[in-house]
Amino acid sequence: LRVEEGHRQRSRRTSCAMRAATLGALLLSLYCAVALAVPHRVEMEQHAPDTQGWSKYVGMQAEEVCEAIKNENPALKSVHPLPKDAMVTADFRLDRVRVYHDDTGKVVRVPKVG
């Protein structure tokens, strides 16, 4: 009976130690991910296009607006006209601008980086 109790206690200690090690590894991974992402995000924001004044594009033809934005910001990789109710991916990219338009092709809201 005593041997069995000793085995249970060792098993509990091992289980707790394994949980603590796993939690520690997860916390370290999370810390590293945040530490690496924050400087990258700051660096990316320094290269973001200047969106000041883009409100002037509302009401204009989407194709013309896309060309104007590309000419203002040659580093942009993607400037696309999209229907106002288009489904889009949730990833955020500073080199992409979405220009939403209505059925007549007129821009319905300020173009958006992302």
Side-chain angles (χ1 to χ4, degrees), residues 15-85:
S15 178
C16 288
M18 288 177 61
R19 280 189 231 139
T22 302
L23 180 60
L26 286 172
L27 290 173
L28 180 61
S29 297
L30 180 62
Y31 173 79
C32 290
V34 170
L36 292 173
V38 170
H40 180 65
R41 178 70 180 218
V42 170
E43 180 182 314
M44 285 176 54
E45 287 173 357
Q46 291 172 351
H47 301 291
D50 182 16
T51 60
Q52 296 256 334
W54 282 8
S55 59
K56 67 184 175 196
Y57 294 132
V58 175
M60 295 176 61
Q61 287 296 314
E63 291 296 332
E64 293 174 13
V65 170
C66 289
E67 286 303 314
I69 291 174
K70 285 179 193 176
N71 290 336
E72 288 175 13
N73 304 280
L76 290 172
K77 293 182 181 175
S78 175
V79 181
H80 294 291
L82 296 167
K84 64 182 175 185
D85 55 355

Side-chain angles (χ1 to χ4, degrees), residues 77-97:
K77 293 182 181 175
S78 175
V79 181
H80 294 291
L82 296 167
K84 64 182 175 185
D85 55 355
M87 303 249 332
V88 295
T89 59
D91 63 317
F92 184 82
R93 291 179 33 201
L94 287 170
D95 64 344
R96 175 176 59 206
V97 175

